[in-house]
């Protein structure tokens, strides 16, 4: 009897130790992949996350990271020929597939909807916002869902507000009666301004927040405020792979609006 009890305790102890080792291994893989992502080494980050996926299938933390990695890879792909465009779109579609999976694995997590909104947003921009109104509506709805959930921390919430702002800004570029026909009559640049401001309040260190906010301010002839946002952007460190382009855009707009 004592022998059986000892064996049972040994098995339980082994399982506990094994689970701890697995958890640590997953954390190590996530950390390694995140470090590559922070350095914009997107293919290396993806490879690490794919390794994690094989070891820990259907893990939410792994799944949303793979979606993000695919978006980051696609952003840097060439798209000058139709063949290159098709290849880029295919990668964005992979990002969407993993974002959809992230929503299924973590329906109560704001970041699931943020990742899906970003993937769908990229596809909408690729295909043309006004040709895929349903996709644009999905982007808006996912951002609102993420904001309603309110979890994930300030950065995730800031991104949700930022993507919502960009969606309003982009969709409102067309004459309202014309876009109302295709279901985009809700878009409003004034709403975009409020959402950009909220994103900055939550996470005041992202260059793109300020530059895109400035663009929307410029549309309302609020050039003084817009130039202040652009000058602020020029003081911030690089945190996103698109930041160098955004800084060049900021300099160009400051030169364009210097007499405004």
């Amino acid at each position: 009897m004592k022998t059986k009890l000892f064996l049972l305790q040994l098995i339980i102890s082994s399982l506990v130790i094994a689970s701890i080792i697995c958890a640590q291994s997953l954390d190590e893989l996530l950390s390694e992949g995140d470090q590559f992502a922070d350095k914009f080494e997107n293919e290396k980050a993806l490879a690490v996350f794919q390794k994690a996926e094989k070891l820990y299938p259907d893990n939410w933390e792994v799944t949303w990271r793979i979606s993000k990695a695919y978006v980051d890879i696609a952003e840097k792909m060439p798209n000058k020929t139709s063949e290159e465009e098709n290849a880029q779109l295919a990668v964005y579609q992979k990002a969407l597939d993993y974002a959809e999976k992230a929503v299924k694995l973590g329906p109560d997590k704001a970041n699931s909807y943020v990742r899906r909104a970003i993937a769908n947003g990229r596809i909408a921009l690729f295909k043309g916002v006004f040709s895929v109104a349903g996709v644009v509506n999905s982007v808006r709805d996912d951002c609102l869902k993420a904001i309603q959930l309110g979890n994930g921390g300030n950065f995730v919430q800031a991104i949700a507000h930022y993507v919502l702002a960009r969606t309003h800004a982009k969709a409102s570029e067309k004459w309202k009666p014309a876009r109302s026909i295709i279901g985009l009559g809700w878009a409003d640049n004034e709403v975009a301004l409020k959402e950009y401001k909220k994103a900055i309040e939550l996470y005041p260190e992202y260059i793109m927040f300020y530059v895109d906010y400035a663009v929307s301010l410029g549309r309302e002839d609020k050039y003084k405020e817009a130039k202040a946002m652009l000058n602020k952007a020029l003081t911030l460190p690089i945190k996103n792979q698109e930041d160098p382009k955004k800084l060049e855009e900021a300099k160009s707009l400051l030169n364009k609006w210097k007499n405004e």
Side-chain angles (χ1 to χ4, degrees):
M1 185 68 180
K2 289 183 178 180
T3 301
K4 290 183 179 180
L5 180 61
F6 173 76
L7 288 174
L8 179 60
Q9 291 174 335
L10 183 61
I11 291 171
I12 293 173
S13 298
S14 298
L15 290 173
V16 171
I17 292 171
S19 66
I20 291 173
I21 291 172
C22 287
Q24 289 173 337
S25 298
L26 174 59
D27 288 343
E28 288 170 0
L29 286 168
L30 294 178
S31 178
E32 181 183 356
D34 288 344
Q35 287 177 35
F36 282 127
D38 289 343
K39 293 185 288 187
F40 316 135
E41 296 180 16
N42 304 315
E43 287 80 6
K44 291 181 180 179
L46 177 61
V48 174
F49 296 141
Q50 287 175 327
K51 179 181 177 181
E53 182 185 28
K54 290 179 181 179
L55 293 172
Y56 308 95
D58 297 329
N59 180 279
W60 178 77
E61 291 283 2
V62 174
T63 301
W64 75 257
R65 282 174 168 83
I66 291 178
S67 177
K68 180 181 182 299
Y70 275 126
V71 168
D72 292 341
I73 288 170
E75 283 179 348
K76 298 175 75 172
M77 291 176 67
N79 57 6
K80 293 182 179 179
T81 67
S82 58
E83 189 175 80
E84 289 174 341
E85 287 180 346
N86 290 335
Q88 185 183 41
L89 181 58
V91 177
Y92 279 133
Q93 184 60 52
K94 287 182 180 180
L96 178 58
D97 292 342
Y98 272 92
E100 294 279 14
K101 186 176 179 180
V103 170
K104 291 179 181 178
L105 292 172
D108 59 337
K109 301 181 186 297
N111 202 27
S112 301
Y113 300 94
V114 168
R115 296 322 312 175
R116 189 166 68 178
I118 290 173
N120 264 325
R122 291 294 181 180
I123 291 172
L125 289 172
F126 185 94
K127 293 184 175 181
V129 169
F130 301 107
S131 66
V132 287
V135 177
V136 178
N137 284 327
S138 294
V139 174
R140 176 202 59 186
D141 292 346
D142 275 345
C143 290
L144 291 172
K145 178 64 174 180
I147 292 167
Q148 179 188 24
L149 286 170
N151 54 37
N154 278 8
F155 180 71
V156 168
Q157 288 298 309
I159 294 295
H161 283 280
Y162 168 72
V163 176
L164 181 58
R166 281 197 63 177
T167 305
H168 272 277
K170 187 65 180 177
S172 65
E173 288 178 354
K174 198 168 187 175
W175 188 44
K176 185 172 182 177
R179 56 186 163 83
S180 294
I181 297 173
I182 57 174
L184 297 178
W186 49 264
D188 189 334
N189 192 51
E190 290 288 350
V191 175
L193 293 176
K194 295 176 183 177
E195 294 299 328
Y196 282 132
K197 187 175 181 180
K198 183 63 178 179
I200 290 171
E201 288 175 358
L202 288 167
Y203 194 82
E205 301 174 25
Y206 238 34
I207 290 170
M208 65 177 67
F209 291 179
Y210 293 90
V211 177
D212 290 347
Y213 183 27
V215 172
S216 279
L217 285 167
R219 286 176 58 184
E220 305 298 327
D221 297 329
K222 298 179 179 180
Y223 294 110
K224 183 177 180 180
E225 293 177 60
K227 287 188 282 187
M229 293 301 107
L230 295 173
N231 282 315
K232 175 64 178 179
L234 295 177
T235 70
L236 297 173
I238 301 293
K239 290 198 171 184
N240 184 281
Q241 65 183 17
E242 294 295 297
D243 283 349
K245 290 182 181 179
K246 286 295 181 182
L247 290 175
E248 288 303 313
E249 183 181 355
K251 293 174 184 176
S252 177
L253 287 172
L254 282 170
N255 183 60
K256 178 182 177 181
W257 294 338
K258 61 184 177 182
N259 296 320
E260 298 292 347

